[in-house]
Amino acid sequence: MIDAIINSHYIQSLPLLLKGLVWTILIALIGLIFGFIIGALVGLGRLSSKKWIRAICTVYVEVIRGTPILVQVLFIYLGLTEQVIGINIDKVVAAIIAISINAGAYIAEIVRGAVDSIEKGQHEAGRSIGLSKKQTMRYIIWPQAFKRMIPPLGNQFIISLKDTSLFSVIAVGELLYMGKQYYNVTYTPFQTLTMVCVLYLIITIPTSYFLRKLERKMDV
């Protein structure tokens, strides 16, 4: 029985799938880091008193949120870089750029909502003790808002992690692509895709549980 399990495609596919899982996590994490930088700038831009800054940031958010990430990565990898600019970029780089830009639009709304949720009295308190508008944002508003961003940022990581599966269309060696490579040779899609699902769940379920615990703790 044990030998049959060990020799099954459920187990034999694991080495290749784990390599894909590493790339999946790396692309999602790096994309989320750059996405947070983009999202923080755009989110604060949407709260700017200058109309042209608000307009640019709003267009970015609406365009990115209104188009599928699959279209975005194909546009970056094949359309923009290869045809328009005339350069060939690495598939992983294209995937990271796509996930960063995509996550940035959603994180921008998280940032905007978190900052906007801080009571107006906090702004006034900062100004009353002699802080400038930037100092008030940096020392009073942002630390409070960032705590409120943590749970939705964790949810965005899970979304981005699952979105990486779409990058198999440009042959990025993430989890689903590695699964396809394996079952195309062994003709075992059921066993292979079952293990793909299991590996995704091993990451997403503990992350979701941790986020729920964190959110309850922050509410208290």
Side-chain angles (χ1 to χ4, degrees), residues 9-11 13-14 17 175 190-200:
H9 289 287
Y10 292 105
I11 303 301
S13 63
L14 270 178
L17 295 181
L175 180 55
F190 177 81
Q191 297 93 322
T192 307
L193 291 175
T194 297
M195 292 308 298
V196 168
C197 291
V198 168
L199 290 175
Y200 273 120

mmCIF file of all heavy atoms in Angstrom, residues 9-11 13-14 17 175 190-200:
data_model
loop_
_atom_site.group_PDB
_atom_site.id
_atom_site.type_symbol
_atom_site.label_atom_id
_atom_site.label_comp_id
_atom_site.label_asym_id
_atom_site.label_seq_id
_atom_site.Cartn_x
_atom_site.Cartn_y
_atom_site.Cartn_z
ATOM 1 N N HIS A 9 1.572 8.846 -9.122
ATOM 2 C CA HIS A 9 1.878 10.146 -9.718
ATOM 3 C C HIS A 9 1.589 11.299 -8.757
ATOM 4 O O HIS A 9 2.076 12.407 -8.960
ATOM 5 C CB HIS A 9 1.088 10.316 -11.019
ATOM 6 C CG HIS A 9 1.596 9.445 -12.128
ATOM 7 N ND1 HIS A 9 2.777 9.699 -12.789
ATOM 8 C CD2 HIS A 9 1.087 8.305 -12.674
ATOM 9 C CE1 HIS A 9 2.970 8.776 -13.712
ATOM 10 N NE2 HIS A 9 1.968 7.916 -13.662
ATOM 11 N N TYR A 10 0.791 11.043 -7.714
ATOM 12 C CA TYR A 10 0.565 12.072 -6.698
ATOM 13 C C TYR A 10 1.895 12.479 -6.074
ATOM 14 O O TYR A 10 2.167 13.664 -5.846
ATOM 15 C CB TYR A 10 -0.370 11.550 -5.598
ATOM 16 C CG TYR A 10 -1.789 11.306 -6.042
ATOM 17 C CD1 TYR A 10 -2.247 10.007 -6.251
ATOM 18 C CD2 TYR A 10 -2.671 12.358 -6.250
ATOM 19 C CE1 TYR A 10 -3.552 9.760 -6.653
ATOM 20 C CE2 TYR A 10 -3.981 12.127 -6.651
ATOM 21 C CZ TYR A 10 -4.416 10.824 -6.856
ATOM 22 O OH TYR A 10 -5.704 10.598 -7.261
ATOM 23 N N ILE A 11 2.718 11.478 -5.785
ATOM 24 C CA ILE A 11 4.005 11.729 -5.130
ATOM 25 C C ILE A 11 5.101 12.051 -6.151
ATOM 26 O O ILE A 11 5.917 12.949 -5.945
ATOM 27 C CB ILE A 11 4.427 10.522 -4.272
ATOM 28 C CG1 ILE A 11 3.349 10.210 -3.227
ATOM 29 C CG2 ILE A 11 5.775 10.784 -3.599
ATOM 30 C CD1 ILE A 11 3.043 11.356 -2.276
ATOM 31 N N SER A 13 4.974 13.514 -8.903
ATOM 32 C CA SER A 13 4.874 14.852 -9.500
ATOM 33 C C SER A 13 5.369 15.951 -8.556
ATOM 34 O O SER A 13 5.623 17.077 -8.987
ATOM 35 C CB SER A 13 3.422 15.149 -9.877
ATOM 36 O OG SER A 13 2.591 15.183 -8.725
ATOM 37 N N LEU A 14 5.538 15.614 -7.277
ATOM 38 C CA LEU A 14 5.857 16.642 -6.272
ATOM 39 C C LEU A 14 7.150 17.424 -6.524
ATOM 40 O O LEU A 14 7.155 18.653 -6.386
ATOM 41 C CB LEU A 14 5.896 16.013 -4.877
ATOM 42 C CG LEU A 14 4.570 16.003 -4.123
ATOM 43 C CD1 LEU A 14 4.730 15.300 -2.776
ATOM 44 C CD2 LEU A 14 4.042 17.407 -3.927
ATOM 45 N N LEU A 17 6.432 19.996 -9.107
ATOM 46 C CA LEU A 17 5.421 20.941 -8.639
ATOM 47 C C LEU A 17 5.966 21.868 -7.564
ATOM 48 O O LEU A 17 5.606 23.055 -7.511
ATOM 49 C CB LEU A 17 4.197 20.188 -8.096
ATOM 50 C CG LEU A 17 3.399 19.370 -9.109
ATOM 51 C CD1 LEU A 17 2.209 18.692 -8.433
ATOM 52 C CD2 LEU A 17 2.930 20.226 -10.271
ATOM 53 N N LEU A 175 3.435 27.122 -10.580
ATOM 54 C CA LEU A 175 2.886 25.828 -10.169
ATOM 55 C C LEU A 175 2.027 25.172 -11.243
ATOM 56 O O LEU A 175 2.226 23.997 -11.579
ATOM 57 C CB LEU A 175 2.079 26.030 -8.878
ATOM 58 C CG LEU A 175 1.409 24.797 -8.277
ATOM 59 C CD1 LEU A 175 2.423 23.692 -8.049
ATOM 60 C CD2 LEU A 175 0.727 25.178 -6.963
ATOM 61 N N PHE A 190 -5.619 14.166 -13.756
ATOM 62 C CA PHE A 190 -6.385 14.125 -12.508
ATOM 63 C C PHE A 190 -5.463 14.151 -11.289
ATOM 64 O O PHE A 190 -5.623 14.984 -10.390
ATOM 65 C CB PHE A 190 -7.276 12.877 -12.452
ATOM 66 C CG PHE A 190 -8.037 12.751 -11.165
ATOM 67 C CD1 PHE A 190 -9.211 13.468 -10.969
ATOM 68 C CD2 PHE A 190 -7.572 11.938 -10.142
ATOM 69 C CE1 PHE A 190 -9.907 13.376 -9.771
ATOM 70 C CE2 PHE A 190 -8.257 11.835 -8.939
ATOM 71 C CZ PHE A 190 -9.436 12.559 -8.744
ATOM 72 N N GLN A 191 -4.481 13.222 -11.270
ATOM 73 C CA GLN A 191 -3.570 13.162 -10.128
ATOM 74 C C GLN A 191 -2.732 14.437 -9.999
ATOM 75 O O GLN A 191 -2.539 14.963 -8.895
ATOM 76 C CB GLN A 191 -2.635 11.947 -10.259
ATOM 77 C CG GLN A 191 -3.339 10.605 -10.239
ATOM 78 C CD GLN A 191 -3.684 10.099 -11.626
ATOM 79 O OE1 GLN A 191 -4.056 10.883 -12.502
ATOM 80 N NE2 GLN A 191 -3.549 8.782 -11.830
ATOM 81 N N THR A 192 -2.252 14.924 -11.135
ATOM 82 C CA THR A 192 -1.365 16.094 -11.108
ATOM 83 C C THR A 192 -2.112 17.348 -10.657
ATOM 84 O O THR A 192 -1.636 18.092 -9.787
ATOM 85 C CB THR A 192 -0.763 16.342 -12.505
ATOM 86 O OG1 THR A 192 -0.155 15.140 -12.970
ATOM 87 C CG2 THR A 192 0.283 17.443 -12.448
ATOM 88 N N LEU A 193 -3.287 17.577 -11.213
ATOM 89 C CA LEU A 193 -4.044 18.779 -10.854
ATOM 90 C C LEU A 193 -4.586 18.687 -9.427
ATOM 91 O O LEU A 193 -4.769 19.723 -8.768
ATOM 92 C CB LEU A 193 -5.182 18.995 -11.851
ATOM 93 C CG LEU A 193 -4.726 19.394 -13.258
ATOM 94 C CD1 LEU A 193 -5.908 19.471 -14.211
ATOM 95 C CD2 LEU A 193 -3.975 20.722 -13.231
ATOM 96 N N THR A 194 -4.815 17.473 -8.948
ATOM 97 C CA THR A 194 -5.189 17.308 -7.535
ATOM 98 C C THR A 194 -4.067 17.807 -6.639
ATOM 99 O O THR A 194 -4.298 18.535 -5.660
ATOM 100 C CB THR A 194 -5.484 15.827 -7.219
ATOM 101 O OG1 THR A 194 -6.600 15.402 -7.985
ATOM 102 C CG2 THR A 194 -5.790 15.635 -5.738
ATOM 103 N N MET A 195 -2.821 17.441 -6.980
ATOM 104 C CA MET A 195 -1.681 17.884 -6.183
ATOM 105 C C MET A 195 -1.450 19.393 -6.324
ATOM 106 O O MET A 195 -1.037 20.055 -5.374
ATOM 107 C CB MET A 195 -0.414 17.120 -6.608
ATOM 108 C CG MET A 195 -0.446 15.641 -6.261
ATOM 109 S SD MET A 195 -0.844 15.338 -4.520
ATOM 110 C CE MET A 195 0.542 16.150 -3.701
ATOM 111 N N VAL A 196 -1.736 19.941 -7.507
ATOM 112 C CA VAL A 196 -1.642 21.393 -7.697
ATOM 113 C C VAL A 196 -2.604 22.093 -6.739
ATOM 114 O O VAL A 196 -2.240 23.058 -6.051
ATOM 115 C CB VAL A 196 -1.947 21.786 -9.161
ATOM 116 C CG1 VAL A 196 -2.139 23.291 -9.283
ATOM 117 C CG2 VAL A 196 -0.824 21.324 -10.081
ATOM 118 N N CYS A 197 -3.840 21.591 -6.676
ATOM 119 C CA CYS A 197 -4.841 22.172 -5.769
ATOM 120 C C CYS A 197 -4.397 22.058 -4.314
ATOM 121 O O CYS A 197 -4.542 23.006 -3.530
ATOM 122 C CB CYS A 197 -6.187 21.468 -5.951
ATOM 123 S SG CYS A 197 -6.985 21.800 -7.526
ATOM 124 N N VAL A 198 -3.864 20.889 -3.954
ATOM 125 C CA VAL A 198 -3.416 20.664 -2.575
ATOM 126 C C VAL A 198 -2.317 21.663 -2.203
ATOM 127 O O VAL A 198 -2.344 22.255 -1.116
ATOM 128 C CB VAL A 198 -2.911 19.216 -2.403
ATOM 129 C CG1 VAL A 198 -2.170 19.051 -1.074
ATOM 130 C CG2 VAL A 198 -4.086 18.244 -2.471
ATOM 131 N N LEU A 199 -1.371 21.877 -3.092
ATOM 132 C CA LEU A 199 -0.264 22.804 -2.799
ATOM 133 C C LEU A 199 -0.755 24.241 -2.676
ATOM 134 O O LEU A 199 -0.280 24.999 -1.816
ATOM 135 C CB LEU A 199 0.807 22.683 -3.883
ATOM 136 C CG LEU A 199 1.604 21.380 -3.877
ATOM 137 C CD1 LEU A 199 2.544 21.314 -5.070
ATOM 138 C CD2 LEU A 199 2.393 21.231 -2.577
ATOM 139 N N TYR A 200 -1.719 24.622 -3.524
ATOM 140 C CA TYR A 200 -2.314 25.963 -3.367
ATOM 141 C C TYR A 200 -2.983 26.091 -1.999
ATOM 142 O O TYR A 200 -2.818 27.101 -1.300
ATOM 143 C CB TYR A 200 -3.351 26.228 -4.463
ATOM 144 C CG TYR A 200 -2.776 26.800 -5.737
ATOM 145 C CD1 TYR A 200 -2.915 26.124 -6.950
ATOM 146 C CD2 TYR A 200 -2.118 28.032 -5.750
ATOM 147 C CE1 TYR A 200 -2.396 26.641 -8.132
ATOM 148 C CE2 TYR A 200 -1.602 28.548 -6.927
ATOM 149 C CZ TYR A 200 -1.744 27.859 -8.108
ATOM 150 O OH TYR A 200 -1.229 28.380 -9.276
#
